[in-house]
Amino acid sequence: MFYIQFEKEEAYRLSKRRLETEKPRNDATADMSEDLFEGVKGEDAGDPSVAYGDSTGSTPRISSVDKAIHSVDQVKYVVELAKALSSSPGVYRVDLLTRQILAPNFDRGYGEPVEVLASTSFKNFKYERGESGGAYIVRIPFGPKDRYLAKEHIWPFIQEFVDGALGHIVRMSKTIGEEIGSGCPVWPAVVHGHYASAGVAAALLSGVLNVPMVFTGHFLGKDKLEDLLKQGRQTREQINITYKIMRRIEAEELCLDASEIVIASTRQEIEEQWNLYDGFEVMLARKLRALVKRGANCFGRYMPRMVIMRFFTNPRKPMILAIARPYAEKNITTLVKAFGECRPLRELANLTLIMGNREAISKMHKVSAAVLTSVLTLIDEYDLYGQVAYPKHHKHSEVPDIYRLAARTKGAFVNVAYFEQFGVTLIEAAMHGLPVIATKNGAPVEIHQVLDNGLLVEPRDQHAIADALCKMLSEKQFWSRCRENGLKNIHQFSWPEHCKNYLSRILTLGPRHPSFGRKEHQKVLMKRREYIFVIAVDSVSKEDLIQIIRNSIEATRTGTLSGLAGFVLSTSRTIAEIQSLLVCAGMLLTDFDAFICNSGSDIYYPSQSSDMPSHSRVTFALDHNFRSHIGYRWGGEGLRKYLVKWASSVVERRGRIEKQVIFEDSEHSSTYCLSFKVVNPSHLPPLKELQKLMRIQSLRCHALYNHDATRLSVIPIHASRSQALRYLSIRWGIGLPDAVVIVGETGDSDYEELFGGLHKTVILKGVFNVPANRIHTVRRYPLQDVVALDSSNIIGIEGCSTNDMRSALHQLGMLTQ
């Protein structure tokens, strides 16, 4: 039984992955006996394992029911696994449940109810290890107390074991709850059963505790039955009497019924062994998975997920490790041929191919799919199953452990690319004490001259590759010398050396740092505000915009938002244009807490110099801190000159007559916004072409068409209306989930950027929206690639009345009466 406390999901994944990577040790002992639930001192761990999480329900929880131990090697594997899990980040307790034996011819230790395996403390986690933390063997009394029971005779006592295990789980859940669960029981998260009998126990515990079940079948009953029948020594009846095989097969069917995940050793186990069972069919499993992915109702039909975890028959052999993407130039197929056709090498070592992360081969790029298909075909052709590992997924953080594992087995790292530009993997291997066999083409030659930790080979000569590997792995003194040379010389490629060079260059850069203004000033700007409402509606008439502003403000004046919402007008207009627009409409400038102007290149704050509302007494404070944020890489006067020159070249041609169609607009320009007036938009290049032109010229800025493409604005690369909102959120201390952005169905070139993020977005649909001009967009890909339009944070409404606005806010959970 595993008692595990995970503080956060990533720790859960880490611990789970460690369990999976230890699994091959178990599978290596394929010929061991199958004694079920027999408790052995120290090395005999048992079966049901149950893992525990916290009591809040928000943290993943694991628990597992492991079957009895079958040989000394397997016992050691399970014990070591328990120890490793108990010392993993976030893991609180690991229990291995087995049968208590009080037989006189057994060591007295087998009768001890509890045996401590390991007790380690957490590092960097909030929970301290309590008295119950660590790894344990827990022996549950069931069946005859005074004698050993073979696995074939354990079946009648499974229910007894389940009851005993359940009592232990209940007691321990309360105990752990007192230590880390604030008094609330900490229940198991998953139950894992190994072999059929423990699988039945796991299925029953899973049902009573309402926790997920995982199952590992190992030697499957139906496959064993077919093998025994082929031998012809016993009849079906005799086989059943001897091995209780039909009970075992029924137990395995039950495990398929109850399990969410079934861990298999090979694809052959899935397709040829599990496929024999009533409860699993490969093609149907695929169809059901496809239905689930589409969100279709399967009407209770379910197949457990099959997970392959074993690769090596004998994992103790030296590991030949290759880490490379499945590209033709990496020459992986030649390595497989070299391994497959050299019997001495196959007997000497295992081959591990880390070929990136992948999903279905059919969904891969055709070049990578072809390489991977070739590799798998060669593995099948040479019958390398059990000698070659090719994991489907791995994390970047796991790569160092893979190098270390290869070094511990006295293996070698191989890079036989046709040409290697740099060879960082060769350096990484040397850092972990792993000798290398590398291509003699490219950077490895120079790396070898420095490290002298291996051999160089002609990548097209598979026999040379095989000979080099045989030499490296069979000549132990040579292997040790290569390892020592690599470790001795690696400092020349070390991270400390790299960091020293890196930091020396960092120090030459000019200082840049965030600036959000003084805290005392923030309180004045947003007194009692808890929400931000940003009106960023562009492609509408002035009259419609004023009405949208009025309705938006009115919609928040009742209910929970009353008096707590701060308003921001976000637009391509200048502050002067905004002032003119609002004054002419008879609106108070102080109804707004801020104005985002010039397409997000300036922020102003209005303030009233007296208690009497008067437009003449309103002043605007420019946010210089924001300007310091966006000034990076701004071209200033030089950029202006270039754009003026470019504008003079954009002309309308009518016969021999050319007429300039875009002019500098100094009236609407500012320090960080260069504005141009467009006379005829149909003669302007699409924005994506203009952006390309600027990048070719190394101009690091944003270009935007606005005012229905009658104006072009060029602003700094770090300036935008969406970035300005983020700035305000930080400065005012209001989280983005408490911000609402109101946009039109169309808008300026940047309006789509206002959709995504944690804030809420209200899209106003209706005839008041001016259709988007063809030259507006800068995207070269679909909108859904950048905006999750089906997000619950985005809502579209027909119309812009006050009631429409309130309805939208209700749906977004922002407004309640």
Side-chain angles (χ1 to χ4, degrees):
M1 179 182 301
F2 291 3
Y3 295 87
I4 301 180
Q5 168 66 42
F6 294 105
E7 226 191 356
K8 50 187 176 183
E9 191 164 342
E10 187 57 35
Y12 163 72
R13 293 195 186 103
L14 176 61
S15 299
K16 181 179 178 182
R17 180 58 61 94
R18 289 185 181 179
L19 170 63
E20 293 173 352
T21 54
E22 292 285 343
K23 174 68 168 54
R25 304 180 196 169
N26 188 25
D27 297 313
T29 56
D31 296 327
M32 51 189 81
S33 64
E34 299 182 24
D35 303 328
L36 173 62
F37 292 133
E38 299 303 335
V40 220
K41 182 181 179 184
E43 52 251 359
D44 178 73
D47 247 307
S49 1
V50 185
Y52 287 71
D54 65 16
S55 59
T56 64
S58 61
T59 304
R61 305 171 181 178
I62 294 188
S63 125
S64 158
V65 175
D66 291 344
K67 184 186 161 276
I69 303 315
H70 312 294
S71 78
V72 173
D73 285 342
Q74 189 172 0
V75 167
K76 183 176 181 181
Y77 155 70
V78 178
V79 170
E80 292 303 315
L81 173 60
K83 292 178 181 178
L85 282 174
S86 71
S87 61
S88 298
V91 176
Y92 189 74
R93 178 178 170 119
V94 178
D95 278 1
L96 298 178
L97 304 189
T98 188
R99 183 179 176 230
Q100 185 184 46
I101 301 177
L102 300 174
N105 58 335
F106 273 69
D107 188 291
R108 293 178 59 184
Y110 300 149
E112 292 295 326
V114 178
E115 181 177 340
V116 178
L117 293 176
S119 181
T120 55
S121 59
F122 283 128
K123 294 180 180 179
N124 301 323
F125 281 80
K126 67 182 181 181
Y127 295 120
E128 295 293 333
R129 180 76 72 179
E131 293 182 1
S132 301
Y136 300 83
I137 294 175
V138 177
R139 297 182 177 90
I140 305 294
F142 71 98
K145 295 181 180 181
D146 58 349
R147 61 187 175 93
Y148 167 84
L149 287 176
K151 64 183 182 299
E152 291 81 12
H153 303 293
I154 242 182
W155 293 106
F157 309 107
I158 296 297
Q159 301 280 1
E160 185 180 341
F161 170 77
V162 170
D163 292 343
L166 186 59
H168 172 78
I169 293 170
V170 171
R171 290 190 297 273
M172 193 50 62
S173 294
K174 293 179 180 178
T175 300
I176 297 176
E178 293 296 327
E179 294 177 0
I180 64 172
S182 301
C184 299
V186 177
W187 295 103
V190 66
V191 181
H192 190 161
H194 285 261
Y195 295 90
S197 49
V200 171
L204 296 174
L205 288 170
S206 171
V208 71
L209 295 171
N210 193 29
V211 298
M213 175 187 168
V214 176
F215 179 63
T216 304
H218 299 286
F219 310 104
L220 297 184
K222 280 199 172 184
D223 192 58
K224 182 170 184 175
L225 173 60
E226 290 197 352
D227 287 342
L228 291 172
L229 288 173
K230 288 177 183 178
Q231 294 174 15
R233 300 175 193 169
Q234 293 177 296
T235 65
R236 184 180 293 265
E237 282 187 46
Q238 290 172 329
I239 293 171
N240 190 42
I241 291 172
T242 303
Y243 298 102
K244 306 292 188 273
I245 201 74
M246 300 312 295
R247 177 68 185 93
R248 176 172 171 177
I249 291 172
E250 174 57 29
E252 289 161 345
E253 291 279 10
L254 175 62
C255 291
L256 285 173
D257 294 338
S259 298
E260 295 192 28
I261 294 176
V262 173
I263 296 175
S265 300
T266 63
R267 185 164 298 280
Q268 183 271 344
E269 180 184 333
I270 297 173
E271 297 181 352
E272 297 183 23
Q273 295 184 45
W274 278 116
N275 211 41
L276 297 172
Y277 286 77
D278 298 337
F280 185 79
E281 201 274 319
V282 173
M283 294 306 299
L284 180 57
R286 291 172 182 167
K287 291 177 182 178
L288 289 174
R289 279 201 307 272
L291 289 172
V292 170
K293 286 182 179 179
R294 295 204 300 266
N297 189 337
C298 295
F299 301 102
R301 302 178 77 192
Y302 179 80
M303 286 275 186
R305 200 174 104 203
M306 292 283 175
V307 178
I308 299 175
M309 290 189 53
R310 191 200 70 152
F311 282 101
F312 295 134
T313 301
N314 184 356
R316 292 172 179 80
K317 287 202 254 182
M319 178 193 291
I320 299 170
L321 173 63
I323 300 178
R325 297 286 184 183
Y327 301 152
E329 58 269 24
K330 295 300 182 181
N331 199 25
I332 303 171
T333 53
T334 300
L335 174 60
V336 177
K337 289 178 182 178
F339 182 78
E341 294 183 11
C342 183
R343 182 159 295 278
L345 184 59
R346 290 172 58 175
E347 293 175 353
L348 181 64
N350 293 318
L351 175 62
T352 297
L353 304 173
I354 308 295
M355 299 177 286
N357 290 297
R358 64 185 187 276
E359 298 302 329
I361 296 178
S362 60
K363 297 179 181 179
M364 296 174 65
H365 187 277
K366 61 181 181 180
V367 175
S368 297
V371 171
L372 192 55
T373 300
S374 297
V375 169
L376 297 179
T377 301
L378 289 170
I379 291 172
D380 189 70
E381 179 181 333
Y382 295 124
D383 193 19
L384 299 178
Y385 297 104
Q387 296 174 285
V388 178
Y390 41 95
K392 193 172 183 179
H393 297 285
H394 72 281
K395 291 181 181 178
H396 179 72
S397 60
E398 295 170 338
V399 173
D401 289 332
I402 297 173
Y403 284 121
R404 294 187 190 102
L405 176 60
R408 284 199 300 271
T409 65
K410 297 190 182 300
F413 182 79
V414 184
N415 180 333
V416 289
Y418 294 130
F419 180 88
E420 184 59 61
Q421 187 70 32
F422 181 69
V424 66
T425 53
L426 302 179
I427 296 172
E428 291 175 345
M431 288 174 59
H432 293 90
L434 187 60
V436 302
I437 307 295
T439 177
K440 67 177 186 178
N441 300 328
V445 176
E446 296 185 22
I447 295 174
H448 177 71
Q449 290 173 352
V450 175
L451 298 180
D452 190 23
N453 69 329
L455 297 169
L456 299 178
V457 295
E458 166 53 53
R460 289 174 173 82
D461 189 342
Q462 70 182 58
H463 299 294
I465 296 171
D467 291 345
L469 285 167
C470 285
K471 176 179 175 63
M472 178 65 72
L473 300 179
S474 62
E475 298 181 15
K476 299 305 180 185
Q477 289 184 348
F478 178 64
W479 185 93
S480 297
R481 185 166 69 250
C482 289
R483 170 185 167 85
E484 291 169 5
N485 287 347
L487 291 172
K488 179 178 66 176
N489 298 319
I490 193 61
H491 70 276
Q492 298 183 60
F493 293 102
S494 68
W495 279 115
E497 188 72 16
H498 171 76
C499 291
K500 183 175 71 174
N501 295 332
Y502 175 79
L503 292 173
S504 67
R505 286 161 175 76
I506 290 291
L507 292 174
T508 65
L509 303 178
R512 297 177 61 211
H513 52 82
S515 178
F516 293 103
R518 298 188 305 275
K519 290 185 178 180
E520 59 270 20
H521 191 44
Q522 295 177 28
K523 295 177 182 178
V524 174
L525 292 172
M526 288 295 286
K527 186 177 181 181
R528 294 190 67 250
R529 304 304 195 198
E530 296 182 9
Y531 305 93
I532 303 177
F533 277 74
V534 180
I535 301 173
V537 183
D538 305 319
S539 294
V540 297
S541 66
K542 291 182 179 180
E543 293 75 19
D544 286 333
L545 177 58
I546 289 298
Q547 192 58 49
I548 289 170
I549 293 172
R550 292 185 190 277
N551 294 344
S552 299
I553 295 174
E554 183 63 29
T556 66
R557 285 182 172 167
T558 58
T560 53
L561 296 175
S562 180
L564 300 177
F567 277 87
V568 178
L569 183 59
S570 183
T571 175
S572 60
R573 291 176 168 84
T574 65
I575 188 65
E577 289 178 299
I578 290 173
Q579 184 176 18
S580 175
L581 174 72
L582 296 178
V583 168
C584 290
M587 298 189 66
L588 293 176
L589 296 169
T590 50
D591 281 343
F592 289 89
D593 293 270
F595 297 105
I596 298 174
C597 311
N598 301 313
S599 297
S601 60
D602 279 316
I603 298 177
Y604 287 91
Y605 307 103
S607 61
Q608 186 80 42
S609 57
S610 69
D611 293 335
M612 294 295 294
S614 171
H615 291 303
S616 62
R617 293 195 173 100
V618 174
T619 58
F620 299 95
L622 176 64
D623 193 326
H624 293 282
N625 292 326
F626 180 67
R627 280 194 166 185
S628 72
H629 276 224
I630 66 172
Y632 178 69
R633 296 294 191 200
W634 178 238
E637 181 63 16
L639 174 62
R640 188 193 70 82
K641 290 180 179 179
Y642 173 83
L643 292 174
V644 169
K645 183 178 179 180
W646 166 80
S648 66
S649 69
V650 181
V651 297
E652 173 187 358
R653 291 182 175 85
R654 293 184 178 179
R656 295 184 177 180
I657 301 175
E658 294 183 349
K659 184 177 181 181
Q660 188 173 341
V661 296
I662 181 170
F663 301 88
E664 182 181 12
D665 185 0
S666 55
E667 179 185 356
H668 297 108
S669 295
S670 67
T671 304
Y672 290 100
C673 178
L674 302 176
S675 184
F676 293 81
K677 181 181 180 181
V678 178
V679 176
N680 192 338
S682 63
H683 290 274
L684 287 180
L687 188 57
K688 56 189 175 184
E689 298 299 329
L690 178 57
Q691 190 72 62
K692 177 181 178 180
L693 171 65
M694 290 187 171
R695 286 172 176 156
I696 290 174
Q697 297 295 325
S698 298
L699 298 173
R700 312 303 177 188
C701 51
H702 287 310
L704 307 101
Y705 289 125
N706 43 58
H707 290 265
D708 194 25
T710 61
R711 188 183 296 177
L712 169 68
S713 298
V714 179
I715 61 177
I717 192 69
H718 289 312
S720 71
R721 290 191 287 174
S722 59
Q723 289 294 82
L725 170 58
R726 293 183 175 97
Y727 173 89
L728 289 177
S729 171
I730 296 172
R731 177 164 184 172
W732 289 342
I734 300 176
L736 285 171
D738 293 322
V740 179
V741 178
I742 302 171
V743 299
E745 201 168 11
T746 59
D748 293 347
S749 295
D750 66 335
Y751 93 107
E752 293 173 356
E753 297 176 16
L754 295 166
F755 288 7
L758 294 177
H759 64 262
K760 314 295 192 297
T761 301
V762 178
I763 303 175
L764 305 181
K765 302 179 179 181
V767 295
F768 48 82
N769 286 284
V770 178
N773 193 293
R774 66 171 182 86
I775 67 173
H776 267 62
T777 183
V778 73
R779 282 187 290 103
R780 299 177 185 268
Y781 38 80
L783 177 60
Q784 54 266 33
D785 286 355
V786 290
V787 178
L789 293 174
D790 58 349
S791 168
S792 59
N793 281 343
I794 301 176
I795 188 171
I797 58 174
E798 296 292 338
C800 61
S801 69
T802 301
N803 288 335
D804 293 330
M805 301 282 192
R806 285 176 178 160
S807 175
L809 295 178
H810 275 294
Q811 293 180 62
L812 290 170
M814 300 290 291
L815 181 63
T816 58
Q817 294 295 336

